[in-house]
Amino acid sequence: MYYGAAWYPEHWPAARWDEDIRLMRSAGMNVCRIAEFAWSTMEPTEGYYTFDWLECAIDKLHSNGIAVVLGTPTAAPPAWLTHHHPDTIATEQDGRLAQHGNRCHYNPGSITYQKYARRIVEQMVKRFGHDPRIIGWQIDNEYNRVDYSEDTGRRFQAYLKDVYGSLDALNSHWSTAYWSQSYSDWREIPIPIGPHNPGLMLAFRHFATRVWADFQRVQVDSIRAGALSSHWITHNFMGWFDGFDHYVVSKDLDLVSWDWYVGSGHHDYLSTGVVHDLTRGLKRQNFWLMETQPGCVNWSQNNNMLNKGEARCMAWHAVAHGADALLYWQWRSAYGGQEQLHGSLIGADGAPRPFYSEAAQIGSDIAALNSSLDLSKSTPVNDVAILHSYDSRWSINAQRHNKSFDPVAVLNQYARPFAAQNIGIDVVSAEAALETYKLVIAPAIAVLTETSEAEMAAFVERGGTLVLGVRTGQKDAYNALLPALQPGRPLLRKLAGAEVAEYYALDDSAPVSLNLAGTTSEGESKIWAELLRPLDDATKVVATYGEFNGWLDGGAAITVGPTNANGGKVIVVGALLDDDAQGELTEWLAQIASIEPVWPDHIEGVEFSRRRFKDSDEELLFIINHTRSAQDVNTAGSLDPATVNILTQQPVQGTLHLEAYDVAVLKINIGV
Ligand code: GLA
């Protein structure tokens, strides 16, 4: 496992570097990310490159046993570039040009910018591409910009021509006869600003995705052309950020990484695990946590410090969900610059800050782990998948219908109770292959393509349990309504044996009676409710609405479609249940799909997560006490008393005692 920080040697005199590296070593660090904003230091004037300083820093890191991830600096173009080539600067929605100096002020689609980006990357590759001291490259930093220039408008039109082939096709998919939107020339099509035609809005998101994929491709190609094959390429994404389709953009990368910040308040493992799961799902492989906060940030409403011990839990929580590396941002703040007050490991005085001691403890935990196993050979393996789709999020967010309807919150509504029940989940693309799962949930997958439909239907045929959540299956790939009611795809309608007769944005909560496992209970549907209509005699209604608006009263809220010969079935959930009822629902789903929790007992605030070693019966069990009080975990009957906590080298011996924010990592054999 790799452990380290983002370090900016260009901010400091070279005479300081040895001390920084000594402190990194004594915190147990073995990796460092450098150079991702250092363009003006590497190319101070156009065509004049200075890499000796970087070579020297890399050399010092390497000779101290610290591997290097080299960042390409394109998130922060130098002033000479933007000054001489204003066409590289991004245009905002209101037509103003972005200002130099706040980074990410470039237009990723600008051909001029791509030319300069290619040039600096090629120069870096020429100098460092054959350097075994480098293990990988990070391209740019947190892609996020959308450009609204006329040039981008023309590119968008060319993109549409490429994708749709004819204006007839485009007009038909977008229903442009509506409000006289019909286009007779590609040049008439605008970049949507604010609410617009749903087809146009979705297409512009796809275009923004293409822009980032192309921008990235320029750098990927330059690196692959000259770098050692052992050098991997990554980009650091931003969790739920939806500026582009991450499944598409991550295709060209070897490795996905992300930057996890809490900002204000404290970390809540029930809702953060799913963001790691989302990131792991982008390429369906382990990821790097390329940045995380050393105590506090500087950009939130209240930049409070994490509690002492909390960062250690966060570190192991990330690892438990598939992180193979963890890097703090940043090592030390520059004296100037916009992020002076951000958390760091080293203070303005050059000495360790209080947080450094916790970082060093994590470093010694990781050293203990590394000395006993190769973490990267293990990964979380789960029976439950929650589907995720950028198209659906964009579609719904543009037409929430109830302003509180947040598609990410709906996904979380399933993820949270599973986390509380110690059931691991994968979050995968709505188009992903589903062969390995027992239970698949499609929460608010409004845009449901034929590919998804075929995959879901095959999954059910094989005996899987498929849950179609609210708003799922309402629209086609062009964001047009499907001509049948939800689930609007024919195979799914048949398997579900039910349809959504009507959807209701709610001004108040609607009562729901559940009859899931033979017992009845009462709950509420909040924000949204769908009135289900059974279409098949074999369809069972397992929840109904109580008296509410007249329309929903007594109607079906949850149905179970006919069960096929392999035990496969489709459950349609039309209610957005309150937390308790949702907990019951997920428990019942786990039960009918024969899902075993990672750990049988629920202990409030204590996480149990697992990673499995490939082709082996061995697993790592992570037990993380996310609370501020000590917890005892009774392992009798569940674990061999001789099982050793890798972090302390102590056997668990019946009761595992965890102090506040304490962690245990156990290697267990599930074949025994
Ligand atoms: C982002 C950036 C970093 C830094 C941190 C501060 O994640 O990638 O360069 O600005 O935020 O929290």
Side-chain angles (χ1 to χ4, degrees), residues 108-109 114 118 159 207-221 249 252:
Q114 290 184 7
R118 178 184 294 114
Y159 163 86
F207 168 74
T209 299
R210 172 77 69 86
V211 169
W212 279 117
D214 289 351
F215 171 82
Q216 175 177 268
R217 191 59 188 259
V218 167
Q219 300 196 35
V220 165
D221 287 349
V249 173
D252 278 338

PDB file of all heavy atoms in Angstrom, residues 108-109 114 118 159 207-221 249 252:
ATOM      1  N   PRO A 108     -10.692  23.510 -22.086  1.00  0.00           N
ATOM      2  CA  PRO A 108     -10.085  22.222 -22.427  1.00  0.00           C
ATOM      3  C   PRO A 108     -10.257  21.853 -23.899  1.00  0.00           C
ATOM      4  O   PRO A 108      -9.513  21.038 -24.427  1.00  0.00           O
ATOM      5  CB  PRO A 108     -10.827  21.220 -21.525  1.00  0.00           C
ATOM      6  CG  PRO A 108     -12.097  21.899 -21.132  1.00  0.00           C
ATOM      7  CD  PRO A 108     -11.816  23.370 -21.144  1.00  0.00           C
ATOM      8  N   GLY A 109     -11.228  22.493 -24.563  1.00  0.00           N
ATOM      9  CA  GLY A 109     -11.455  22.170 -25.980  1.00  0.00           C
ATOM     10  C   GLY A 109     -10.618  23.035 -26.913  1.00  0.00           C
ATOM     11  O   GLY A 109     -10.615  22.811 -28.127  1.00  0.00           O
ATOM     12  N   GLN A 114      -4.570  22.732 -26.192  1.00  0.00           N
ATOM     13  CA  GLN A 114      -4.158  21.322 -26.298  1.00  0.00           C
ATOM     14  C   GLN A 114      -2.748  21.213 -26.886  1.00  0.00           C
ATOM     15  O   GLN A 114      -1.976  20.341 -26.501  1.00  0.00           O
ATOM     16  CB  GLN A 114      -5.171  20.545 -27.134  1.00  0.00           C
ATOM     17  CG  GLN A 114      -6.500  20.386 -26.399  1.00  0.00           C
ATOM     18  CD  GLN A 114      -7.517  19.540 -27.148  1.00  0.00           C
ATOM     19  OE1 GLN A 114      -7.212  18.946 -28.173  1.00  0.00           O
ATOM     20  NE2 GLN A 114      -8.734  19.495 -26.635  1.00  0.00           N
ATOM     21  N   ARG A 118       0.134  19.480 -24.865  1.00  0.00           N
ATOM     22  CA  ARG A 118       0.898  18.355 -25.424  1.00  0.00           C
ATOM     23  C   ARG A 118       2.394  18.624 -25.314  1.00  0.00           C
ATOM     24  O   ARG A 118       3.174  17.766 -24.923  1.00  0.00           O
ATOM     25  CB  ARG A 118       0.513  18.132 -26.891  1.00  0.00           C
ATOM     26  CG  ARG A 118       1.317  16.988 -27.526  1.00  0.00           C
ATOM     27  CD  ARG A 118       1.031  16.791 -29.002  1.00  0.00           C
ATOM     28  NE  ARG A 118      -0.320  16.337 -29.244  1.00  0.00           N
ATOM     29  CZ  ARG A 118      -1.257  17.037 -29.866  1.00  0.00           C
ATOM     30  NH1 ARG A 118      -0.976  18.264 -30.306  1.00  0.00           N
ATOM     31  NH2 ARG A 118      -2.463  16.556 -30.050  1.00  0.00           N
ATOM     32  N   TYR A 159     -20.081  18.174 -33.403  1.00  0.00           N
ATOM     33  CA  TYR A 159     -20.247  16.931 -32.622  1.00  0.00           C
ATOM     34  C   TYR A 159     -21.644  16.351 -32.870  1.00  0.00           C
ATOM     35  O   TYR A 159     -21.814  15.147 -33.104  1.00  0.00           O
ATOM     36  CB  TYR A 159     -20.019  17.245 -31.142  1.00  0.00           C
ATOM     37  CG  TYR A 159     -20.548  16.201 -30.199  1.00  0.00           C
ATOM     38  CD1 TYR A 159     -19.782  15.086 -29.852  1.00  0.00           C
ATOM     39  CD2 TYR A 159     -21.834  16.314 -29.651  1.00  0.00           C
ATOM     40  CE1 TYR A 159     -20.284  14.114 -28.991  1.00  0.00           C
ATOM     41  CE2 TYR A 159     -22.335  15.354 -28.797  1.00  0.00           C
ATOM     42  CZ  TYR A 159     -21.563  14.248 -28.469  1.00  0.00           C
ATOM     43  OH  TYR A 159     -22.069  13.286 -27.634  1.00  0.00           O
ATOM     44  N   PHE A 207     -21.396  16.027 -24.951  1.00  0.00           N
ATOM     45  CA  PHE A 207     -20.336  16.765 -25.636  1.00  0.00           C
ATOM     46  C   PHE A 207     -19.247  17.179 -24.633  1.00  0.00           C
ATOM     47  O   PHE A 207     -18.050  17.021 -24.890  1.00  0.00           O
ATOM     48  CB  PHE A 207     -20.940  18.000 -26.320  1.00  0.00           C
ATOM     49  CG  PHE A 207     -19.919  18.977 -26.797  1.00  0.00           C
ATOM     50  CD1 PHE A 207     -19.141  18.697 -27.926  1.00  0.00           C
ATOM     51  CD2 PHE A 207     -19.704  20.172 -26.120  1.00  0.00           C
ATOM     52  CE1 PHE A 207     -18.176  19.603 -28.360  1.00  0.00           C
ATOM     53  CE2 PHE A 207     -18.742  21.070 -26.544  1.00  0.00           C
ATOM     54  CZ  PHE A 207     -17.980  20.786 -27.665  1.00  0.00           C
ATOM     55  N   ALA A 208     -19.659  17.685 -23.464  1.00  0.00           N
ATOM     56  CA  ALA A 208     -18.673  18.091 -22.444  1.00  0.00           C
ATOM     57  C   ALA A 208     -17.812  16.894 -22.047  1.00  0.00           C
ATOM     58  O   ALA A 208     -16.598  17.016 -21.814  1.00  0.00           O
ATOM     59  CB  ALA A 208     -19.389  18.663 -21.223  1.00  0.00           C
ATOM     60  N   THR A 209     -18.431  15.727 -22.012  1.00  0.00           N
ATOM     61  CA  THR A 209     -17.687  14.497 -21.708  1.00  0.00           C
ATOM     62  C   THR A 209     -16.658  14.229 -22.806  1.00  0.00           C
ATOM     63  O   THR A 209     -15.501  13.910 -22.529  1.00  0.00           O
ATOM     64  CB  THR A 209     -18.677  13.309 -21.614  1.00  0.00           C
ATOM     65  OG1 THR A 209     -19.606  13.578 -20.564  1.00  0.00           O
ATOM     66  CG2 THR A 209     -17.960  11.997 -21.356  1.00  0.00           C
ATOM     67  N   ARG A 210     -17.099  14.384 -24.050  1.00  0.00           N
ATOM     68  CA  ARG A 210     -16.184  14.144 -25.176  1.00  0.00           C
ATOM     69  C   ARG A 210     -15.008  15.126 -25.116  1.00  0.00           C
ATOM     70  O   ARG A 210     -13.865  14.764 -25.374  1.00  0.00           O
ATOM     71  CB  ARG A 210     -16.973  14.284 -26.488  1.00  0.00           C
ATOM     72  CG  ARG A 210     -16.122  14.243 -27.747  1.00  0.00           C
ATOM     73  CD  ARG A 210     -15.670  12.845 -28.150  1.00  0.00           C
ATOM     74  NE  ARG A 210     -16.764  12.013 -28.609  1.00  0.00           N
ATOM     75  CZ  ARG A 210     -17.233  11.975 -29.865  1.00  0.00           C
ATOM     76  NH1 ARG A 210     -16.680  12.718 -30.793  1.00  0.00           N
ATOM     77  NH2 ARG A 210     -18.234  11.180 -30.193  1.00  0.00           N
ATOM     78  N   VAL A 211     -15.302  16.379 -24.757  1.00  0.00           N
ATOM     79  CA  VAL A 211     -14.230  17.384 -24.680  1.00  0.00           C
ATOM     80  C   VAL A 211     -13.173  16.940 -23.671  1.00  0.00           C
ATOM     81  O   VAL A 211     -11.971  16.963 -23.954  1.00  0.00           O
ATOM     82  CB  VAL A 211     -14.806  18.769 -24.286  1.00  0.00           C
ATOM     83  CG1 VAL A 211     -13.683  19.747 -23.933  1.00  0.00           C
ATOM     84  CG2 VAL A 211     -15.661  19.333 -25.411  1.00  0.00           C
ATOM     85  N   TRP A 212     -13.615  16.478 -22.507  1.00  0.00           N
ATOM     86  CA  TRP A 212     -12.644  16.063 -21.487  1.00  0.00           C
ATOM     87  C   TRP A 212     -11.904  14.795 -21.917  1.00  0.00           C
ATOM     88  O   TRP A 212     -10.692  14.670 -21.702  1.00  0.00           O
ATOM     89  CB  TRP A 212     -13.323  15.856 -20.127  1.00  0.00           C
ATOM     90  CG  TRP A 212     -13.517  17.155 -19.413  1.00  0.00           C
ATOM     91  CD1 TRP A 212     -14.704  17.731 -19.071  1.00  0.00           C
ATOM     92  CD2 TRP A 212     -12.490  18.062 -18.991  1.00  0.00           C
ATOM     93  NE1 TRP A 212     -14.472  18.936 -18.446  1.00  0.00           N
ATOM     94  CE2 TRP A 212     -13.130  19.160 -18.385  1.00  0.00           C
ATOM     95  CE3 TRP A 212     -11.100  18.054 -19.072  1.00  0.00           C
ATOM     96  CZ2 TRP A 212     -12.425  20.242 -17.854  1.00  0.00           C
ATOM     97  CZ3 TRP A 212     -10.388  19.129 -18.542  1.00  0.00           C
ATOM     98  CH2 TRP A 212     -11.045  20.200 -17.948  1.00  0.00           C
ATOM     99  N   ALA A 213     -12.641  13.884 -22.531  1.00  0.00           N
ATOM    100  CA  ALA A 213     -11.971  12.651 -22.969  1.00  0.00           C
ATOM    101  C   ALA A 213     -10.910  12.973 -24.023  1.00  0.00           C
ATOM    102  O   ALA A 213      -9.802  12.427 -23.992  1.00  0.00           O
ATOM    103  CB  ALA A 213     -12.999  11.665 -23.524  1.00  0.00           C
ATOM    104  N   ASP A 214     -11.228  13.905 -24.928  1.00  0.00           N
ATOM    105  CA  ASP A 214     -10.264  14.278 -25.982  1.00  0.00           C
ATOM    106  C   ASP A 214      -9.071  15.027 -25.388  1.00  0.00           C
ATOM    107  O   ASP A 214      -7.924  14.808 -25.775  1.00  0.00           O
ATOM    108  CB  ASP A 214     -10.937  15.146 -27.047  1.00  0.00           C
ATOM    109  CG  ASP A 214     -11.925  14.351 -27.900  1.00  0.00           C
ATOM    110  OD1 ASP A 214     -11.955  13.112 -27.777  1.00  0.00           O
ATOM    111  OD2 ASP A 214     -12.669  14.977 -28.673  1.00  0.00           O
ATOM    112  N   PHE A 215      -9.370  15.937 -24.462  1.00  0.00           N
ATOM    113  CA  PHE A 215      -8.303  16.700 -23.804  1.00  0.00           C
ATOM    114  C   PHE A 215      -7.345  15.732 -23.102  1.00  0.00           C
ATOM    115  O   PHE A 215      -6.123  15.833 -23.217  1.00  0.00           O
ATOM    116  CB  PHE A 215      -8.940  17.654 -22.789  1.00  0.00           C
ATOM    117  CG  PHE A 215      -7.955  18.355 -21.895  1.00  0.00           C
ATOM    118  CD1 PHE A 215      -7.283  19.490 -22.313  1.00  0.00           C
ATOM    119  CD2 PHE A 215      -7.699  17.880 -20.612  1.00  0.00           C
ATOM    120  CE1 PHE A 215      -6.368  20.128 -21.487  1.00  0.00           C
ATOM    121  CE2 PHE A 215      -6.788  18.507 -19.780  1.00  0.00           C
ATOM    122  CZ  PHE A 215      -6.124  19.638 -20.219  1.00  0.00           C
ATOM    123  N   GLN A 216      -7.933  14.798 -22.409  1.00  0.00           N
ATOM    124  CA  GLN A 216      -7.131  13.815 -21.672  1.00  0.00           C
ATOM    125  C   GLN A 216      -6.350  12.932 -22.641  1.00  0.00           C
ATOM    126  O   GLN A 216      -5.196  12.576 -22.392  1.00  0.00           O
ATOM    127  CB  GLN A 216      -8.071  12.976 -20.816  1.00  0.00           C
ATOM    128  CG  GLN A 216      -7.399  11.846 -20.079  1.00  0.00           C
ATOM    129  CD  GLN A 216      -8.381  11.111 -19.189  1.00  0.00           C
ATOM    130  OE1 GLN A 216      -8.526  11.431 -18.022  1.00  0.00           O
ATOM    131  NE2 GLN A 216      -9.058  10.117 -19.740  1.00  0.00           N
ATOM    132  N   ARG A 217      -6.977  12.586 -23.755  1.00  0.00           N
ATOM    133  CA  ARG A 217      -6.370  11.682 -24.731  1.00  0.00           C
ATOM    134  C   ARG A 217      -5.047  12.238 -25.265  1.00  0.00           C
ATOM    135  O   ARG A 217      -4.076  11.501 -25.473  1.00  0.00           O
ATOM    136  CB  ARG A 217      -7.366  11.456 -25.870  1.00  0.00           C
ATOM    137  CG  ARG A 217      -6.985  10.345 -26.815  1.00  0.00           C
ATOM    138  CD  ARG A 217      -6.860   9.060 -26.012  1.00  0.00           C
ATOM    139  NE  ARG A 217      -6.328   8.005 -26.832  1.00  0.00           N
ATOM    140  CZ  ARG A 217      -7.070   7.045 -27.374  1.00  0.00           C
ATOM    141  NH1 ARG A 217      -8.367   7.003 -27.157  1.00  0.00           N
ATOM    142  NH2 ARG A 217      -6.508   6.118 -28.109  1.00  0.00           N
ATOM    143  N   VAL A 218      -5.028  13.554 -25.461  1.00  0.00           N
ATOM    144  CA  VAL A 218      -3.802  14.197 -25.952  1.00  0.00           C
ATOM    145  C   VAL A 218      -2.653  13.868 -24.998  1.00  0.00           C
ATOM    146  O   VAL A 218      -1.546  13.507 -25.419  1.00  0.00           O
ATOM    147  CB  VAL A 218      -4.016  15.732 -26.041  1.00  0.00           C
ATOM    148  CG1 VAL A 218      -2.704  16.464 -26.233  1.00  0.00           C
ATOM    149  CG2 VAL A 218      -5.002  16.065 -27.145  1.00  0.00           C
ATOM    150  N   GLN A 219      -2.925  13.955 -23.714  1.00  0.00           N
ATOM    151  CA  GLN A 219      -1.868  13.718 -22.729  1.00  0.00           C
ATOM    152  C   GLN A 219      -1.585  12.218 -22.561  1.00  0.00           C
ATOM    153  O   GLN A 219      -0.432  11.813 -22.431  1.00  0.00           O
ATOM    154  CB  GLN A 219      -2.252  14.348 -21.396  1.00  0.00           C
ATOM    155  CG  GLN A 219      -2.459  15.851 -21.523  1.00  0.00           C
ATOM    156  CD  GLN A 219      -2.454  16.566 -20.188  1.00  0.00           C
ATOM    157  OE1 GLN A 219      -1.730  16.191 -19.275  1.00  0.00           O
ATOM    158  NE2 GLN A 219      -3.240  17.627 -20.089  1.00  0.00           N
ATOM    159  N   VAL A 220      -2.647  11.429 -22.578  1.00  0.00           N
ATOM    160  CA  VAL A 220      -2.454   9.972 -22.459  1.00  0.00           C
ATOM    161  C   VAL A 220      -1.556   9.494 -23.603  1.00  0.00           C
ATOM    162  O   VAL A 220      -0.586   8.749 -23.391  1.00  0.00           O
ATOM    163  CB  VAL A 220      -3.816   9.232 -22.494  1.00  0.00           C
ATOM    164  CG1 VAL A 220      -3.630   7.743 -22.732  1.00  0.00           C
ATOM    165  CG2 VAL A 220      -4.581   9.465 -21.195  1.00  0.00           C
ATOM    166  N   ASP A 221      -1.870   9.947 -24.828  1.00  0.00           N
ATOM    167  CA  ASP A 221      -1.079   9.513 -25.983  1.00  0.00           C
ATOM    168  C   ASP A 221       0.375   9.962 -25.840  1.00  0.00           C
ATOM    169  O   ASP A 221       1.297   9.201 -26.145  1.00  0.00           O
ATOM    170  CB  ASP A 221      -1.673  10.066 -27.283  1.00  0.00           C
ATOM    171  CG  ASP A 221      -2.965   9.348 -27.666  1.00  0.00           C
ATOM    172  OD1 ASP A 221      -3.271   8.310 -27.041  1.00  0.00           O
ATOM    173  OD2 ASP A 221      -3.674   9.829 -28.571  1.00  0.00           O
ATOM    174  N   VAL A 249     -14.812   8.983 -19.351  1.00  0.00           N
ATOM    175  CA  VAL A 249     -13.498   9.632 -19.225  1.00  0.00           C
ATOM    176  C   VAL A 249     -12.475   8.699 -18.581  1.00  0.00           C
ATOM    177  O   VAL A 249     -11.287   8.752 -18.897  1.00  0.00           O
ATOM    178  CB  VAL A 249     -13.641  10.979 -18.464  1.00  0.00           C
ATOM    179  CG1 VAL A 249     -12.283  11.590 -18.168  1.00  0.00           C
ATOM    180  CG2 VAL A 249     -14.478  11.954 -19.289  1.00  0.00           C
ATOM    181  N   ASP A 252      -9.802   5.632 -20.702  1.00  0.00           N
ATOM    182  CA  ASP A 252      -8.417   5.715 -21.191  1.00  0.00           C
ATOM    183  C   ASP A 252      -7.382   5.663 -20.070  1.00  0.00           C
ATOM    184  O   ASP A 252      -6.186   5.723 -20.341  1.00  0.00           O
ATOM    185  CB  ASP A 252      -8.213   7.023 -21.963  1.00  0.00           C
ATOM    186  CG  ASP A 252      -8.701   6.896 -23.396  1.00  0.00           C
ATOM    187  OD1 ASP A 252      -8.781   5.757 -23.889  1.00  0.00           O
ATOM    188  OD2 ASP A 252      -8.999   7.932 -24.013  1.00  0.00           O
TER     189      ASP A 252
END
